[in-house]
Amino acid sequence: MAPEKQQLLKKRKRGPSSQPPQKTNPNFSKKPKSVDSNPLKKKKFSHPPRKPLGAKPSLLQKEKIVSRETSEGVKQPKDEASRRTKSKWFSCLQELTEERKKKRKAKYTLQHELALLWEKMRRRDITKEERSKVITEALKKMKGKIPEIAGSHVSSRVLQVSLYTCIKYCQPLEKNSICDELRPHFLILAQNKYAVHLVNKMLDNASKSQLDGFMSSLSGHVASLLRHQFGSAVVEHAFNLGNATQKKTLLLELYSTEFRLFKGLTTTSEGRLVDLISRHGLQKVSVIEHMSSVLQPILKKEIVDHSIVHAALLEFFSIADKSIAADIIQQLSGPILVRMIHTRDGSRIGVLCVKHGTAKERKKIIKGMKGHVQKISLDPHGNMVLTCILCVVDDTKLIAKVIIQELQSGLKELILDKNGRRLLLQLLHPYSSRYFSPDDLAALDLTIPSLSTAEGKKLEANMKTDRESKLSETHQSGPVGTDNGPDVIDDVKDDNSAPKESHSLSDKGKKDPSLRRSEILIDSRLAETLINACIDNAAEFLRSNFAKDVIYEVAVGGAGGILWQTLTDKLDALHVAISQLGAAPKVELQEHVFENFHSSRVIRKLILECPRFADTLWKLALKDRCKLWAQGHSCKVVAAYMESSNQEVKGLASSEVQPLLESGLLKILDKKPEGQS
């Protein structure tokens, strides 16, 4: 081909007209290169300039290192270089933590130093002189800064320990300096989550004059502090530490504004709120309004664990109107009442709520005790509320389901306990002055005046006079059922008569008291479980100072013979079990039931009061063996056969015991003369 044609072909290939038309399909088209319209935008893969070797990382780089290490996890170093790198990361972590704490806490350095001193002073192997030096150093560092650092979790602990140890090892001036520095900030610290522990520690270690100063700081602020979560604990602590006058001063602020503004209006002898109103001429309506404004916020916040609240609430019931008292009972009906009955006044409030509450409110109270019945029954005050429930509530099926079922699971512990046994004794022998003190019986007779009927008031007055006369007679003749020595003989004839129900309790339930008692004791199978427990643990119960009363009441069949109606065979088995213990030979390692102080007296009373038991015991244990038991505590058991008023019981032992009496080997103790205490 000529060179001219070759050049022409090249021109045609290069020219746009020589190329065939391209299709407009986007799948085959080339995308143009993207051009960044923002020239200030950083490049995607740009790197910051590197720092020279040996430069320390910045705070931001430390955070990145820590986050990367925590996300990847701690790996075991493989060589020396990686080990040095790992230690570098941990040092970065510690530096970062310290820097953050210093920025967040202004007194971090001081708190750290105090924590180190605290660790030294709390050691047991440190001498008194060294501890005294450490405490003095700590107090010097804290001087002038105590109110600021008292709210810290760590430093407040240091203050507590320092204040506590100052009493033992430091000068009184150092303790006084802390109290003087904190007294102006007492109210603020009392409402702090951590400082409240320090305030309570100060109250515990305060002298008489210092406690008076703290009490004066609370003046005018009692009601507001009781509404506070932490401040209420300080008021309660001060109330428990104060004397009668100081307690009265704190309570008066809750009664009326006049008592808060004008000090010295009352004396400690004026105890009841009703007496204060009549003596000082206060308006009852204004007192009710003031106490309602104080107590209602406390009840709504459910800050009801403190005894000062219980005392104020109990006094408020004595003057409250019918509607207000009913509203408070409705508020307290439920689990909230369980938190109140651990004090004397709180248990009385519980008794009033049970007695004056409706059937629905009583049901809420009983259901609120579910899971806590065993603990309540062992409490010295809480068991009085359970006793009131057993005496008043007509829904015996609910009582059996919630209360009796839990009592049966821990029946042995209940019988051996001083307080728990009273529930069982109330069912076996109701309202016995042998088992319930006059104060306990008075608590069961309490009523709210505005919710009591006129007829109920008359019955309560009559019952009160009868009980006072009975108590005066008991006081003259000495306590019933007590053993003061070998010369004392128990007069137990009147205690096993039919139980006298309290009018103020029985008029609060529609069901007959004897029917209610039978349903709780017999129908719920509590009595059968109780007899079985006495049979299995007869030796332990007879020797126990508290359980002996329960096994005695069970063995005689309860007051009115309630157990003999359906459980005769079980009671006979219990009599046999006790008699077999008496028939056992003497053992050196264990004291015989006839020679034990408690068990010998219980068996003697059973012989006097239960002829059926006396017959069983004679046949199994004492026949032809009276001479062996004619000395010591056991002589009371043998002599009881001749003291019995039952002629059949006397006839059993007369042929064997009478010669012992004539020979002087056995003596019948004379009864205690009347009028001696």
Side-chain angles (χ1 to χ4, degrees), residues 366 369-378 386 402-404 406-407 414 423:
I366 294 173
M369 293 181 176
K370 192 173 183 179
H372 307 283
V373 175
Q374 188 73 11
K375 186 177 180 181
I376 295 172
S377 63
L378 300 178
L386 288 177
V402 178
I403 297 178
I404 303 301
E406 289 193 34
L407 293 180
L414 202 69
L423 283 174

Side-chain angles (χ1 to χ4, degrees), residues 71-124:
S71 62
E72 293 178 357
V74 180
K75 299 179 181 179
Q76 296 294 333
K78 296 181 180 180
D79 51 3
E80 188 65 27
S82 59
R83 192 177 294 108
R84 286 196 300 269
T85 306
K86 187 64 65 177
S87 63
K88 180 181 178 182
W89 300 143
F90 283 117
S91 62
C92 292
L93 176 61
Q94 292 176 356
E95 292 177 6
L96 177 61
T97 305
E98 294 293 328
E99 290 175 4
R100 286 176 176 174
K101 287 182 178 179
K102 288 179 181 179
K103 288 183 178 180
R104 189 170 63 250
K105 301 178 182 180
K107 304 289 182 182
Y108 173 73
T109 305
L110 177 61
Q111 293 176 8
H112 184 66
E113 294 175 356
L114 292 176
L116 295 177
L117 294 174
W118 178 35
E119 289 295 333
K120 291 181 181 179
M121 70 178 70
R122 67 195 289 260
R123 289 168 54 186
R124 295 185 179 181

Side-chain angles (χ1 to χ4, degrees), residues 2 87 160 263 274 313 318 354 404 441 491 596 627 668:
S87 63
Q160 293 174 40
K263 306 296 180 183
V274 179
L313 197 57
S318 64
V354 172
I404 303 301
L441 295 174
D491 187 9
N596 182 265
K627 189 175 181 180
I668 296 179

Side-chain angles (χ1 to χ4, degrees), residues 41-94:
K41 187 176 180 181
K42 292 182 180 179
K43 292 183 179 181
K44 189 174 182 181
F45 300 101
S46 60
H47 296 279
R50 295 184 178 179
K51 287 187 176 182
L53 294 175
K56 293 184 178 180
S58 62
L59 182 62
L60 181 62
Q61 289 177 339
K62 289 179 182 178
E63 292 179 354
K64 290 181 179 180
I65 292 170
V66 172
S67 62
R68 185 169 68 248
E69 286 295 319
T70 54
S71 62
E72 293 178 357
V74 180
K75 299 179 181 179
Q76 296 294 333
K78 296 181 180 180
D79 51 3
E80 188 65 27
S82 59
R83 192 177 294 108
R84 286 196 300 269
T85 306
K86 187 64 65 177
S87 63
K88 180 181 178 182
W89 300 143
F90 283 117
S91 62
C92 292
L93 176 61
Q94 292 176 356

